[in-house]
Amino acid sequence: MAFKRHVDRLPIIPAGAKRHNVTCQFCIVGCGYNAYTWPINEQGGTSRDENIFQLDLTEQQPADTDAWYAPSMYNVVKQNGHDVHMVIKPDYECVVNSGLASARGGRMAEMSYSEARSTQQQRLTDPMVWRQGMKVPTSWEDALDLVAKVTVAVIKEQGEDGLFVSAFDHGGAGGGYENTWGTGKLYFEAMKIKNIRIHNRPAYNSEVHASRDMGVGELNNCYEDAELADTLMVVGANPHETQTNYFLNHWIPNLKGQSMAKKQELLSDEEHAPARIVIVDPRRSLTVNACEVAASKKNVLHLAIQSGSDLALLNAMLTYAAEQGWIDEDFIAAHTEGFAAARLANSMSVEQAAEICGVAASDIIKATSWIAEPKSDGHRRRTMFAYEKGLIWGNDNYRSNAAYVNLALATGNIGREGGGCVRLGGHQEGYVRPSDDFIGRPAPYVDKLLIEGRGGVHHIWGCDHYKTTLNASEFKRHYNERTNKVKAVMDSVPSGDRDAQVEAILGAIRDGGLFVVDMDIVPTKIGEAAHVLLPAATSGEMNLTSMNGERRMRLTERYMDPPGQAMPDCLIAARIANAMEATLREQGDEAYADQFQGFDWQNEEGAFMDGYHQNAAGGEFVDYEALRAMGNNGFQEPATGLEEGRIVGSKRLYTDGVFSREGGKALFMEAQWRGLQAPGKQEQKDNYPFLINNGRANLVWQSAYLDQDNEFVTDRWPYPFIEMNLQDMDELDVAEGDLVEVWNDAGSTQAMVYPTPSAKRGETFMLFAFPTGVQGNVVNEGTNELIIPNYKQTWGNIRKFSAKPRSVNHLSFKSKEYPVL
Ligand SMILES: Nc1nc2c(c(=O)[nH]1)N[C@H]1C(S)=C(S)[C@@H](COP(=O)(O)OP(=O)(O)OC[C@H]3O[C@@H](n4cnc5c(=O)[nH]c(N)nc54)[C@H](O)[C@@H]3O)O[C@H]1N2
Ligand SMILES: Nc1nc2c(c(=O)[nH]1)N[C@H]1C(S)=C(S)[C@@H](COP(=O)(O)OP(=O)(O)OC[C@H]3O[C@@H](n4cnc5c(=O)[nH]c(N)nc54)[C@H](O)[C@@H]3O)O[C@H]1N2
Ligand code: SF4
Ligand SMILES: [Mo]
């Protein structure tokens, strides 16, 4: 019997099973999978003509055989109303993952909606509205009529600034080109909504303004560059757990020396060695451990800097590289501007940085030599510069990002093999929307406006701020108060009388209330406050296009039915537009009603053709048919043409040295160190004993919206873990598995103690966004000047409130590290 899966036998995939192209719906890496489906009353057999693998399965298969799937990769789902067997297994032919699954993607099948096997029964199947004191199922027409009437009424009274929006802007599940276009066309074309925020930050802006202002788009290389680099440098990311198969399939081989042949073939006139890696992270992550196992300790340099001190380190590395003459003068002269000024302004000695960062000066020098010192044959070293949320949600986002891009530009590493200065990424990407220029910069701090009582109606698309925003305690307190006001008046008027309902809701809004519409696939925490829930279909229940971290675009083909009445987000957006148009015409406002035309797509392909095909760079070469033909390897954006029916893409950006700025030159940026920059952070650090560092773990996807209904995950993590130093645990008198309260001036949360021998004194790491303990409760409201949240720099107190509860008793608290031999 497979652990937690309640099966002891799985069917063999028959020869005639249908095969669909699938890109994993979760992280940026975008691993290729295939979904195989076949009728419920059929099974394959062991002989060659009976199974899809065309193999004799009575024979022992090799250890890494493709002719296999795990229990988590199986389910029974509906297809065109009929039960079918379904297997979603990794694609060995996909160049991204070469057949690797991960602890998240490998569970896609069992995290699908299945009536036959009772998985994900939490999924929303019908629109729900608040009436008679609870949320009850209703029809689309009824729910949309209420949404349109209230939304129009609020706009008539407050203008379009009275409509607040939270919306995903990514690819994969809860995103993709179809759905970002649907929502974008509604809020940026039919309307001009300024009070809009993105799923992961409280404003509508870029996470990497600096890189873009410098002319360097943040996804500028390809995954092969990680195989070709002499040195990998990674700042504030934990790719073993968060970009898993990119790390395992492209970094590890280089660290192990397995990509030497490829290096010699592609870059034949240079000397090569297995890669070394520099990892900048205040804590010893599992990535550090995995790299040491693969490359041995001598080729791994972990700079365990003080939380938030990256900028000082990066400026010192630039200063030192320039002093040593390790920079690329020719590249700087030909393709950039502003180097001399930036070098001067950012000047920082190795000794100063060592002091600020709390690392040895000799290690800063060593890191600089690993990334910049020419090779012994005189060739310039190829270094790939990678970063993610430890830098992006870290101290002084704009300047730190700039300092990192400075370093990559100065060493001539953007636009060449084995280089790049790249976000590792979070979700896949899938952004195509009308211009957002009218929003301005800095964009409105939407959470703050909501807390202050502004706005009358809030549309939420696939985000759960109750688990994922900053200043979350305060946000929830105000949000509950405002939405409860509306619930109270809705309860006071007969729900059968729609006009009276709308009038009462408007009255509550004038009194500070907020009316909330939540588009999601499951009931969320913020959804508890909402008045209308609209059920979305997700990846695989609709055709969906996205691109990954090397801009590789694929089509995930619909392989199963959405639950109940759920429909793709792009079609929900179109239906909202249709309903608003109808309401406005009823009211005789023809001019405004006309703005809501053009939402007549019949399906997601219609949204794709209206959006990506017409608006994306190179979109004219891309449609579903062409993408289907490109299979799980797709093409790398932007498309530049078609050759014999195949889309031609772009492997790397900036290979011609022309950057994304007027005049084509990349800009070096001044970025001086100025301490902990976001308001309240230094005070918090001074006042509380523990750093509450936070982020992700391998097993859990995001706010656990699907994992919370998956026994395999809830069994391992009934509570979010908090990694603690052993001596700190002694002093606080807490033991493994104890539940502790974490608190500070911003709020409180709770977590389960995980003893961690490598944790530094006074430094903890907590799983973020978990349903049974929200780390964001203790993140203060401080953002940088462009409203980028600073989730990572948080300090607090810790107190025990319970010994190991029953649900924790059986858990292992062994170190998560592999021994390094
Ligand atoms: N403390 C702290 N906070 C953080 C971070 C941190 O590091 N520390 N990181 C931030 C980051 S990088 C991120 S990305 C955010 C994540 O913040 P959120 O985006 O709020 O979190 P998710 O869990 O990704 O939420 C996605 C929601 O979308 C729903 N969903 C999934 N598929 C679909 C679909 O097809 N359609 C619709 N309509 N809904 C769907 C899910 O059910 C879920 O409720 O958190 C941010 N918050
Ligand atoms: N397993 C899994 N994978 C995921 C996700 C998931 O939920 N689960 N989510 C996806 C998403 S949306 C995102 S955005 C990415 C995020 O991917 P990552 O950025 O790799 O993940 P995080 O765990 O948020 O943070 C990375 C590291 O930043 C470090 N850090 C904290 N403070 C600092 C600092 O001051 N300086 C430096 N240099 N480092 C610091 C933390 O110790 C942590 O190890 O992951 C994606 N992949
Ligand atoms: S690494 Fe990311 S894309 Fe690949 S299977 Fe895992 S979650 Fe999916
Ligand atoms: Mo993210």
Side-chain angles (χ1 to χ4, degrees):
M1 180 85 93
F3 180 67
K4 297 288 177 202
R5 267 58 187 237
H6 314 294
V7 292
D8 60 359
R9 189 169 184 279
L10 292 163
I12 295 173
I13 308 174
K18 259 194 262 175
R19 185 174 190 263
H20 309 78
N21 293 325
V22 173
T23 303
C24 177
Q25 58 176 282
F26 301 124
C27 89
I28 178 79
V29 180
C31 296
Y33 280 75
N34 289 113
Y36 298 89
T37 54
W38 68 96
I40 194 70
N41 57 353
E42 289 175 20
Q43 291 200 16
T46 50
S47 66
R48 283 176 197 280
D49 56 349
E50 286 175 338
N51 64 68
I52 193 106
F53 312 110
Q54 299 179 316
L55 289 171
D56 176 1
L57 295 177
T58 60
E59 282 173 15
Q60 175 72 47
Q61 302 298 313
D64 55 0
T65 177
D66 181 14
W68 173 88
Y69 69 88
S72 65
M73 298 174 187
Y74 173 73
N75 214 333
V76 174
V77 300
K78 288 256 193 294
Q79 204 175 61
N80 305 318
H82 301 288
D83 277 341
V84 292
H85 296 280
M86 177 176 76
V87 170
I88 306 182
K89 67 194 283 297
D91 182 356
Y92 281 60
E93 303 301 317
C94 178
V95 293
V96 174
N97 54 315
S98 308
L100 294 177
S102 77
R104 304 174 300 287
R107 284 185 287 122
M108 268 188 290
E110 74 174 9
M111 300 221 289
S112 301
Y113 179 75
S114 170
E115 287 168 344
R117 296 180 78 240
S118 294
T119 54
Q120 294 299 326
Q121 292 300 293
Q122 58 164 346
R123 286 288 302 270
L124 296 171
T125 54
D126 303 282
M128 313 270 278
V129 298
W130 183 267
R131 54 182 167 232
Q132 302 130 35
M134 57 187 173
K135 276 190 207 90
V136 294
T138 187
S139 65
W140 277 103
E141 290 65 31
D142 181 55
L144 288 167
D145 176 71
L146 182 63
V147 170
K149 288 203 164 114
V150 175
T151 303
V152 165
V154 168
I155 291 175
K156 291 273 155 160
E157 201 158 303
Q158 302 189 9
E160 288 180 346
D161 289 353
L163 168 56
F164 278 56
V165 177
S166 296
F168 50 71
D169 75 342
H170 54 74
Y177 289 112
E178 292 75 5
N179 297 325
T180 61
W181 177 253
T183 46
K185 183 164 172 150
L186 177 61
Y187 299 114
F188 292 169
E189 196 176 285
M191 297 179 269
K192 292 273 179 288
I193 299 303
K194 269 210 297 285
N195 291 322
I196 178 167
R197 59 160 287 178
I198 295 170
H199 63 285
N200 64 3
R201 50 196 189 269
Y204 206 89
N205 50 18
S206 168
E207 293 174 18
V208 287
H209 279 110
S211 189
R212 292 185 186 178
D213 288 352
M214 295 164 79
V216 180
E218 66 272 18
L219 298 177
N220 47 56
N221 74 356
C222 61
Y223 284 180
E224 189 181 77
D225 288 320
E227 298 172 47
L228 299 178
D230 296 302
T231 304
L232 297 156
M233 175 160 174
V234 52
V235 177
N238 178 18
H240 178 49
E241 297 193 81
T242 56
Q243 294 88 17
T244 308
N245 290 332
Y246 177 25
F247 178 77
L248 294 177
N249 202 32
H250 302 274
W251 297 33
I252 288 285
N254 193 2
L255 291 165
K256 280 186 166 167
Q258 290 166 344
S259 54
M260 292 294 285
K262 192 180 243 180
K263 288 184 179 186
Q264 266 140 11
E265 182 198 327
L266 294 177
L267 307 163
S268 55
D269 60 344
E270 289 173 39
E271 69 172 31
H272 295 289
R276 295 189 292 200
I277 184 165
V278 178
I279 302 166
V280 182
D281 192 315
R283 71 169 175 142
R284 183 178 158 87
S285 64
L286 290 184
T287 295
V288 178
N289 174 233
C291 289
E292 287 178 355
V293 173
S296 86
K297 286 193 178 191
K298 71 176 197 309
N299 289 321
V300 180
L301 177 57
H302 173 209
L303 295 173
I305 60 168
Q306 285 286 312
S307 171
S309 64
D310 303 74
L311 178 53
L313 172 76
L314 297 170
N315 281 344
M317 288 175 74
L318 180 68
T319 306
Y320 188 78
E323 281 166 9
Q324 298 300 311
W326 291 343
I327 55 176
D328 188 344
E329 306 276 8
D330 295 345
F331 176 86
I332 293 172
H335 303 296
T336 71
E337 300 174 348
F339 179 69
R343 184 189 163 183
L344 192 67
N346 304 349
S347 177
M348 163 86 64
S349 74
V350 166
E351 291 70 29
Q352 271 175 303
E355 173 76 26
I356 294 167
C357 301
V359 296
S362 57
D363 276 347
I364 300 179
I365 291 170
K366 187 168 166 188
T368 314
S369 125
W370 281 18
I371 65 143
E373 188 177 4
K375 304 197 253 189
S376 56
D377 67 351
H379 276 100
R380 282 196 354 298
R381 193 165 293 279
R382 297 176 183 273
T383 300
M384 183 182 118
F385 295 85
Y387 63 104
E388 196 48 44
K389 289 290 145 43
L391 184 137
I392 292 172
W393 302 149
N395 175 40
D396 219 347
N397 163 296
Y398 192 89
R399 292 190 185 191
S400 303
N401 184 205
Y404 202 36
V405 180
N406 281 344
L407 200 54
L409 283 171
T411 54
N413 269 304
I414 302 183
R416 71 165 181 157
E417 296 95 330
C421 183
V422 289
R423 275 193 59 195
L424 289 176
H427 298 85
Q428 282 157 68
E429 303 286 319
Y431 190 92
V432 57
R433 276 180 180 153
S435 168
D436 58 19
D437 282 350
F438 65 92
I439 293 175
R441 180 169 157 174
Y445 189 162
V446 167
D447 283 26
K448 202 167 196 164
L449 297 175
L450 284 170
I451 287 173
E452 286 167 2
R454 308 276 279 281
V457 55
H458 188 194
H459 294 183
I460 306 169
W461 297 84
C463 13
D464 194 354
H465 308 322
Y466 273 30
K467 288 181 277 177
T468 58
T469 199
L470 69 169
N471 197 21
S473 307
E474 189 76 349
F475 182 83
K476 286 180 272 202
R477 206 160 60 75
H478 288 273
Y479 203 86
N480 283 341
E481 203 176 293
R482 297 189 65 191
T483 51
N484 279 335
K485 263 189 191 161
V486 171
K487 285 180 181 167
V489 298
M490 290 177 84
D491 292 344
S492 72
V493 177
S495 55
D497 186 346
R498 172 90 3 128
D499 290 341
Q501 277 277 320
V502 173
E503 204 38 57
I505 293 168
L506 260 284
I509 290 172
R510 281 178 212 119
D511 185 34
L514 185 71
F515 182 82
V516 176
V517 186
D518 187 20
M519 278 51 75
D520 208 290
I521 61 171
V522 299
T524 58
K525 296 284 183 198
I526 199 169
E528 287 170 22
H531 307 92
V532 178
L533 299 182
L534 299 178
T538 193
S539 182
E541 300 162 358
M542 64 178 290
N543 295 292
L544 190 73
T545 55
S546 299
M547 74 170 194
N548 80 348
E550 53 175 349
R551 308 173 319 286
R552 189 178 293 279
M553 181 174 182
R554 274 79 50 88
L555 168 69
T556 293
E557 297 174 291
R558 173 175 161 149
Y559 49 77
M560 63 179 280
D561 299 347
Q565 304 188 54
M567 68 168 94
D569 290 284
C570 53
L571 298 187
I572 301 178
R575 293 278 202 106
I576 291 177
N578 299 154
M580 287 182 69
E581 183 187 351
T583 301
L584 287 162
R585 293 213 191 280
E586 253 168 54
Q587 296 177 1
D589 190 345
E590 298 293 337
Y592 197 30
D594 286 346
Q595 289 178 215
F596 292 84
Q597 288 176 325
F599 289 89
D600 39 17
W601 321 306
Q602 295 310 302
N603 50 34
E604 56 273 25
E605 188 169 5
F608 182 84
M609 295 308 283
D610 189 41
Y612 189 92
H613 185 72
Q614 290 196 50
N615 295 280
E620 68 269 29
F621 306 115
V622 185
D623 58 25
Y624 275 13
E625 195 187 330
L627 281 171
R628 244 182 228 115
M630 301 300 289
N632 276 341
N633 287 330
F635 76 96
Q636 287 174 274
E637 292 190 56
T640 57
L642 284 170
E643 264 171 33
E644 293 169 8
R646 297 190 61 80
I647 305 168
V648 182
S650 316
K651 189 164 181 171
R652 291 180 185 84
L653 303 186
Y654 311 127
T655 48
D656 55 0
V658 179
F659 290 89
S660 311
R661 265 181 87 237
E662 228 181 279
K665 294 207 166 177
L667 178 69
F668 281 94
M669 202 56 101
E670 295 184 21
Q672 286 120 318
W673 167 251
R674 51 176 165 171
L676 292 180
Q677 173 264 336
K681 296 294 178 184
Q682 185 61 47
E683 293 77 357
Q684 215 178 50
K685 183 175 180 180
D686 294 340
N687 289 331
Y688 297 97
F690 292 103
L691 172 70
I692 316 295
N693 186 2
N694 58 93
R696 290 146 173 94
N698 207 344
L699 196 55
V700 184
W701 175 245
Q702 295 287 90
S703 67
Y705 57 88
L706 292 179
D707 293 326
Q708 66 190 351
D709 200 17
N710 183 276
E711 219 184 336
F712 185 64
V713 179
T714 55
D715 178 80
R716 180 70 182 114
W717 302 126
Y719 296 90
F721 60 77
I722 185 164
E723 297 176 356
M724 288 187 71
N725 169 281
L726 307 185
Q727 266 173 288
D728 287 341
M729 284 177 59
D730 273 353
E731 277 176 22
L732 286 182
D733 199 18
V734 296
E736 63 177 34
D738 285 356
L739 300 185
V740 291
E741 191 161 22
V742 179
W743 56 276
N744 61 16
D745 49 341
S748 309
T749 187
Q750 57 179 27
M752 174 182 78
V753 174
Y754 206 102
T756 304
S758 62
K760 288 190 267 183
R761 284 304 303 265
E763 300 200 357
T764 71
F765 182 85
M766 179 173 166
L767 182 62
F768 97 120
F770 212 63
T772 49
V774 171
Q775 197 279 338
N777 284 357
V778 293
V779 178
N780 79 357
E781 65 172 359
T783 67
N784 88 350
E785 62 275 21
L786 295 175
I787 323 295
I788 308 295
N790 187 190
Y791 298 109
K792 303 297 190 204
Q793 274 68 49
T794 295
W795 285 267
N797 250 323
I798 295 177
R799 100 181 159 93
K800 172 174 168 176
F801 68 87
S802 166
K804 245 189 205 182
R806 162 70 190 86
S807 57
V808 171
N809 254 336
H810 64 298
L811 297 188
S812 163
F813 289 92
K814 279 200 294 206
S815 163
K816 299 174 194 170
E817 295 204 7
Y818 281 98
V820 186
L821 301 173

